[in-house]
Structure formats: C-alpha cells, structure tokens
Amino acid sequence: MSEATVTTAPASPSASRPAGKPRLTTSAMIASIAAEGQATRPAPFGHALVEQARLNPKIVGMTADLAKYTDLHIFSREFPERFLQMGMAEQLLMAAAGGMAKEGFVPFATTYAVFATRRAYDFIHQVIAEENLNVKICAALPGLTTGYGPSHQATEDLAMMRAIPNMTVIDPCDALDTEQCVAAIAQTHGPVYMRLSRGRVPVVLDEYGYTFKLGRAQLLRDGRDVLVIASGLMTMRALEVASRLARDAIDVGVLHVPTIKPLDVQTIVEQCRRSGRLVVIAENHSCIGGLGEAIAMALLQARVQPEVRHVALPDQFLDAGALPTLHDRYGISTDVMAASIQRWLG
Amino acid sequence: MTEQVWEEAAVSAFERIRTHAWRVRRFALRMGEVQGQGYVGQALGWADVLAVAYCHAMNIRPHEPEWEGRDRFLLSHGHYAIALYAALFEAGVLPPEELETYGCDDSRLPMSGMSAYTPGMEISGGSLGQGLAIAVGQALGLRMKRNPAFVYNSMSDGELDEGAVWEAAMSASHHGLGNLINLVDLNRQQADGASYEILNFEPLVDKWQAFGWHVQRIDGNDLQAVIDAFDMARAVTEAKPRVILFDTLMGKGVSFLEQREKNHFIRVEADEWQKALADLDETHAAGSPA
C-alpha cells in the first residue's frame, strides 16, 4: 500500500489521448490531505501519545492490524511492552480495550474509522460506553479521506458515535489540534471517539493563537458577511475560503468546533445570534447526523434562526476515485465551497 | 492425619458444596416466583458450576466485591442474571432479603445482568458473545499489573454462534493467557430451539484444542466432576487459556422442569413454584448432587 498520491496512465493507451488533455489522477488508499506547500508535521497523534504515555504509565496502545497506518507504531516502538496487537478483529479490539480499562488502564485503540464504527458498534456501545469506560477510540481515514470507495469511507461515523450516550466525539482540524486533543483526552476520564489524521498532517491553527479545549468551540476569525462553522478538515478549508473571499471584499468568520459532542451550544448560539450573517456549516461527513444536524437542533431550541447552508457529503454511497476529484464532486473542496458561498450570497 | 479423617474431610467438603448448589437452586426458584417467569431452567442447570465457582474455586471477599485481588467472574450471558444473583446470595455478596426485589423497578437485580446495578456483577452482558473478548482484555491487564487473579468468563453454547467469541479464542491463546478460564454451558437450547439444529458447533473439544486452549468436557451436573475440573483448570501450568465445557441439564433438580421440552424461557404456573421447591428439596435430601 503506497502512501503517496500516485499518477497513473488512463485506461486507454496514452497514444490515443487527445493532445493537451491532462492525465487522470487516482489516489492511494491513504492520500495526503495536505495541500501542496502546506506546512506539515509527521505523525502528530503518535508523538503526542508517546508524550502522554511518559506522564501516565497506565496508557496502553491497542490496534487491529493498523498500527502503521494510524501512527500507533511510534508508540509501539517507544513502549513495546505497553502495545497490544489484537489482530484484524475490531470487535475483540473494542471489548478487550474495555477489559483493559476495567483493570485501570487507559487504552488508546486505533483502527480505521469505518471498521471501528460500523463493524464494532455494539462493542463500543455495550462494553465501552454503557459502563462509561476510559477507552479512547482513535479512528483514521475519517469522512471522505480515501478514494477507496464506501468500504473505506467513514461518512457516517460521527452520526453513529454521537448517538451513543456517554460518548465524547471529537473531529480535530490539524496537527496542533490533534496533539493537544490527545493530551486533553488522556487526562479526562471517559469514552472518546476521536477522528485521526495520520502521516504528514498540516499545521494551520498555530497562526490563530489556538488551543484545544475539550468541549469548546473557538472563533478563529471574525467576519461580517458569513460565519462558517466547521470541524476537522473543513475548518482548514474554511480558513482558506475566508482568505480567498476577503479578496472579493466578502468578510467570512470561522468558528471551529472540534468537539462535536458535547457541543458548545453557548458559543455557537451566541455567534449565530448576530443578525445579517449567512451561517454555513461545513463538515467532512454525511449531511445526516453530524455537526450540521447537531447545530440545527441547538439553534431551534434556542429560537435562533439565521439563514443556514450546509456543506456536507450527500446521503449516498460515494464514488471511488482521486480525493481532489471527489472533494470537488461532493462540494467539500476549498474551490467548490468558496464558489457555493459566493452563489448563496447572490 | 489418618486415611479415615481424610475421607471424612473430603466428604464434608463435598457435602458443603452440594448444599451450596441446592441453596443456589432454591434462591433461583424463589426469584422466579417473584416474577412468575425467568431463565430458571438455565439457573437450575448451571447451579453446580456457580456453587463450585463461588463457594470453592474462586478467590473472593464477599463483603468487598471490588477487592483488587479478587478473581473476576464475567457473566457474558446476562440473561443468566437470576442464576448469578442466586450464587451471590449464597456467597454472601448480596443480602438475601433483596431477593424479593428481583426484576422490580429500582431494584439492584434487573432481569438481565448489569454491572452498574449489582455488586459482584463485573460486566453488563446480554449482548451475546462479548464476555470472552472483555475477559481477554482483563486477563492482559491483570498480567500487565502482575496481579495473579484469574478471569472466569461464563457463557452459553448459543453464544458460540457469535464470531467475536472466536476472535477472542484466537487472541487468548496467541497471548498465552493462562489466567483466563472460560466456562461454557452446553445446555443445547437457545431461543429458536435446539442449539445443534440452529448452528452446529461440534466438535467442540477439537475446536478449542485447535485454537490452542487447554480443554475439559464434563457432565456439568456431576458435582465432583465440576470440582475436579475447576481444580484442574487452575492447576494447569502451561501458558494456555483454559476452557471447561459443561454438559448440563436445563431444570436440573426439579423433575417436572427437567422433562419440559420448551424450557429456554420458563413460565411456571403460580401453584407450581412451591411444588418445584418441594421437588428440589426432596431431590437434595435423597442425596443426588442437586
């Protein structure tokens, strides 16, 4: 499995390709989400976990045959005796992590988001959450971050995890957010589902004086015309959109909501209460059951009714293909999000 | 010590455990009467195993159910809660006066076992086939802490249908978990009928052996055999997980329940509970293991 985005020849022989037509691109399973030239940091999750494990000897790392692809190998090299390889068995992984937590350990269990949530749902629900155990589920390839098709695209993970009582659900934006999130959840009791960016992860939030606070939304930049409320990868894109639209004298604010549950209703409602702004909720997740619906309910209950648009993945099984193609196709790329906002503003 | 005294001591230890098993069955029947129904057939069939676990094999402190040194007993089949409550009364973990609250609102004894409700209930089982995988995690954790306690997982044959059981079985032997003892109730009945017809899991001894376990298969209602099997499972020195497969009889000890064909979830007429208790007491007095 290659980690790099690769360029391949089209299906038809190149000789028959019309002159000037670009080569098609395709994507490896783990395509980088970093844009060209973007500052990145390697394996922020793995390194942050090592740091926390030095402070707390009860932290253990567990995985279902995906240590290398969730950056847990950084931890396993440093603490081989505290690393447990459970094999390609996600139900076992979650239940055994529950068992370790019952014995006083703080397991960080990693696999891909699809397998954690879809395959082991009942084990997360019954073994971990129902007993409020101190298990941290760290799930790579969240949302649409692979072109491998619906088998690997975790487009419903937030919906499923939000629905489980006791579960804290986090969608960090960049390397900085991820590192600080690991520290925060390691030091807080209770079950957590955390979306994980692995490999070379962009660093974006350092320019905004940002610090991750569990359960808190944070305004990264203010704006008169539009407020984008975003989590995870989409916060990065919202910031880029804001810079671009500023050139067209459109003033876009960005509210980052890394903790999807519990939701920082107070900050979100306060920001949405400011009249005259278009509110755009942006998430790398199905339009069903994620950040958008969580915020919609919060606004309804607070009787705050701004004009709202939703940038999210459609309620479909998505195509396989190259990530840039798919992000354009489904409207979550920076380009399409910027164009959508301009269109919505009329 | 003379041979004579040895024999007497052995007989009295056996008699003591036999009495525990009888009383576990009585508690289960009396709770069944509170609700008029329940997994009583399983409780009667599993009572010998529970009595040996709680009153002979396991290292527990009845008045300190969360003592760090305790052997862990995981009730994977949460449905068997009535059986485990009966054992917890008998072991002195739960006060018997709570028996009257079984299955009632705000009781500590819900119909399906939940750890947050009941002292001595280690997990919230009931979503079947999860206990063994949790046991793997606890056994790994105990070993990491250098805590010599055992983890017992109690499960039913129907749970063998669940794939996660076999994930856990592979994992336990891969990790050489000699502190894990799995107890399987082969009562041959599950929700839709006879276990063998629903999904044939035989040959079970071969399967567990192939998965790298130390295996024993015995008559789970032969009390001496049950005692010996527990002793053996604890004494094995190989770094292997251990499984004991118990062939049991649903309704054991109450003749008219033993013969009932559909006894997965028993409904007993109001007047039958006293009859069942009387029948059980007779069986016990006659010196049968029950």
Side-chain angles (χ1 to χ4, degrees), chain A residues 271-296:
Chain A
Q271 286 299 325
C272 289
R273 202 167 252 146
R274 264 171 60 183
S275 59
R277 283 201 298 188
L278 174 70
V279 170
V280 176
I281 304 171
E283 58 183 319
N284 173 25
H285 185 268
S286 161
C287 55
I288 293 177
L291 181 67
E293 288 193 349
I295 291 175

Side-chain angles (χ1 to χ4, degrees), chain A residues 201-252:
Chain A
V201 179
V203 192
V204 174
L205 297 181
D206 54 340
E207 289 176 32
Y208 296 85
Y210 171 84
T211 310
F212 175 85
K213 294 192 189 86
L214 196 56
R216 294 291 303 279
Q218 289 179 60
L219 193 67
L220 300 177
R221 62 179 281 170
D222 207 353
R224 280 186 318 274
D225 305 314
V226 180
L227 175 69
V228 180
I229 308 178
S231 69
L233 173 61
M234 295 311 288
T235 296
M236 222 180 277
R237 300 212 167 144
L239 290 167
E240 176 65 28
V241 164
S243 305
R244 280 199 211 171
L245 294 187
R247 287 178 226 142
D248 299 331
I250 301 172
D251 199 9
V252 178

Side-chain angles (χ1 to χ4, degrees), chain A residues 92 102-103 122 130-131, chain B residues 72 122 124 127 138 145:
Chain A
L92 167 72
K102 289 168 90 68
E103 294 302 334
D122 186 43
E130 198 272 329
E131 295 198 32
Chain B
R72 279 71 168 154
E122 296 274 359
S124 295
S127 181
Q138 288 197 260
K145 289 191 284 189

Side-chain angles (χ1 to χ4, degrees), chain A residues 58 60 81-82 84-86 89-93 95-96 98-100 102-105 122-123 126-127 130-131, chain B residues 68 72 114-115 122-125 127 129-130 133-134 136-138 140-142 144-145 163-164 167-168 171 175:
Chain A
K58 292 291 183 190
V60 293
E81 74 290 353
R82 283 156 68 182
L84 293 166
Q85 173 60 265
M86 303 311 290
E90 291 79 16
Q91 299 181 350
L92 167 72
L93 170 71
M100 289 293 292
K102 289 168 90 68
E103 294 302 334
F105 293 91
D122 186 43
F123 292 71
Q126 275 309 110
V127 179
E130 198 272 329
E131 295 198 32
Chain B
E68 173 66 8
R72 279 71 168 154
M114 295 176 76
S115 67
E122 296 274 359
I123 62 169
S124 295
S127 181
Q130 296 186 335
I134 302 172
V136 165
Q138 288 197 260
L140 285 165
L142 287 169
M144 220 177 258
K145 289 191 284 189
E167 292 180 9
S171 176
H175 289 287

Side-chain angles (χ1 to χ4, degrees), chain B residues 15 23 34 46 66 94 105 108 118 126 149 225 232 254 277:
Chain B
E15 271 305 310
R23 289 169 51 86
V34 171
W46 203 225
E66 292 180 25
L94 289 176
D105 292 348
R108 295 202 296 177
T118 318
M232 166 71 89
V254 177
L277 273 175

Side-chain angles (χ1 to χ4, degrees), chain B residues 195-208:
Chain B
S195 297
Y196 297 105
E197 288 172 14
I198 286 160
L199 184 59
N200 182 23
F201 43 68
E202 295 289 2
L204 268 187
V205 171
D206 293 350
K207 279 202 177 83
W208 286 96

Side-chain angles (χ1 to χ4, degrees), chain A residues 312-332:
Chain A
L313 301 168
D315 176 27
Q316 289 169 19
F317 290 104
L318 307 181
D319 296 338
L323 274 188
T325 312
L326 298 179
H327 283 192
D328 277 343
R329 186 169 297 167
Y330 297 117
I332 64 168

Side-chain angles (χ1 to χ4, degrees), chain A residues 3-5 27-28 30-35 40 145 198 200-202 237 323:
Chain A
E3 294 190 32
T5 302
S27 158
I30 306 177
S32 175
I33 58 162
T40 60
T145 49
R198 45 80 62 205
R200 297 204 71 86
V201 179
R237 300 212 167 144
L323 274 188

